[in-house]
């Protein structure tokens, strides 16, 4: 999540159950379609949580697909906007919540690049997601067998290229 520049927030910071011993439910809204819910059991006993997704800012009318990220298995959909989570002692559940009503879209990326350059000259290339679009990684392919990763990179062509930057 560091790459996205976002962090989870505790949903039960001020109202966690005494049996939980400390805040246990954390939520990260990655974008309008997808969120991550992390539920910890810090205790020596099995715990059950009923999590109202509207407390996390999700629409009560959403059609949510929930997947356990660690086990890669589907979790029963929330009933009336409430997600039931059962946990063994000293465990964590990381749940990906996707609102199926919202279509998936690729992030919008803006690229800054030179329109021309000379062989041997170092050229600067930069890209960034438009406001709110999460971009996890950038991979540049310069068409001369060289690839680089990062939102800002430099590249020098060793010979004249017959490609155009678009």
């Amino acid at each position: 999540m560091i790459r996205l520049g976002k962090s989870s927030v505790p949903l039960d910071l001020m109202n966690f159950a005494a049996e939980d011993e400390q805040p246990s439910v954390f939520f990260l809204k990655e974008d309008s379609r997808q969120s991550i819910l992390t539920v910890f059991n810090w205790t020596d006993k099995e715990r059950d949580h009923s999590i109202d997704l509207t407390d996390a800012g999700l629409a009560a009318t959403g059609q949510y697909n929930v997947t356990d990220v660690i086990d890669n298995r589907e979790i029963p959909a929330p009933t009336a906007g409430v997600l039931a989570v059962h946990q063994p002692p000293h465990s964590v559940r990381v749940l990906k919540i996707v609102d199926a009503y919202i279509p998936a879209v690729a992030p919008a990326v803006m690229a800054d690049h030179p329109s021309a350059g000379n062989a041997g000259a170092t050229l600067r290339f930069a890209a960034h997601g438009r406001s709110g679009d999460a971009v996890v990684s950038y991979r540049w392919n310069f068409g001369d067998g060289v690839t680089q990763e990062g939102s800002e990179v430099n590249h020098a062509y060793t010979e004249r290229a017959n490609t155009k930057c678009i």
Side-chain angles (χ1 to χ4, degrees), residues 33-35 62-68 74-78 83 95-101:
R33 182 172 189 261
Q34 180 171 299
S35 303
Q63 179 182 339
Y64 298 107
N65 298 323
V66 182
T67 306
D68 188 313
E74 196 92 2
I75 302 297
L83 184 63
L95 306 175
K96 177 172 71 170
I97 303 170
V98 177
D99 189 338
Y101 284 149

Side-chain angles (χ1 to χ4, degrees), residues 28-87:
L28 170 67
K29 188 163 184 79
E30 293 182 317
D31 57 35
S32 62
R33 182 172 189 261
Q34 180 171 299
S35 303
I36 298 291
L37 182 71
T38 307
V39 184
F40 294 91
N41 180 357
W42 311 104
T43 73
D44 295 325
K45 297 181 177 153
E46 291 187 3
R47 293 290 296 134
D48 290 305
H49 289 94
S50 293
I51 301 160
D52 185 341
L53 297 180
T54 60
D55 290 345
L58 298 179
T61 58
Q63 179 182 339
Y64 298 107
N65 298 323
V66 182
T67 306
D68 188 313
V69 174
I70 295 172
D71 296 344
N72 196 28
R73 64 182 173 88
E74 196 92 2
I75 302 297
T79 304
V82 176
L83 184 63
V85 179
H86 175 78
Q87 290 182 268

Side-chain angles (χ1 to χ4, degrees), residues 3 106-113 124-140 150-153:
R3 283 186 173 180
V109 176
M110 302 295 299
D112 298 319
H113 53 78
R124 181 183 174 278
F125 297 82
H128 57 277
R130 281 198 249 183
S131 65
D133 283 347
V135 180
V136 176
S137 65
Y138 297 88
R139 182 174 170 87
W140 299 86
S151 61
E152 295 184 22
V153 298

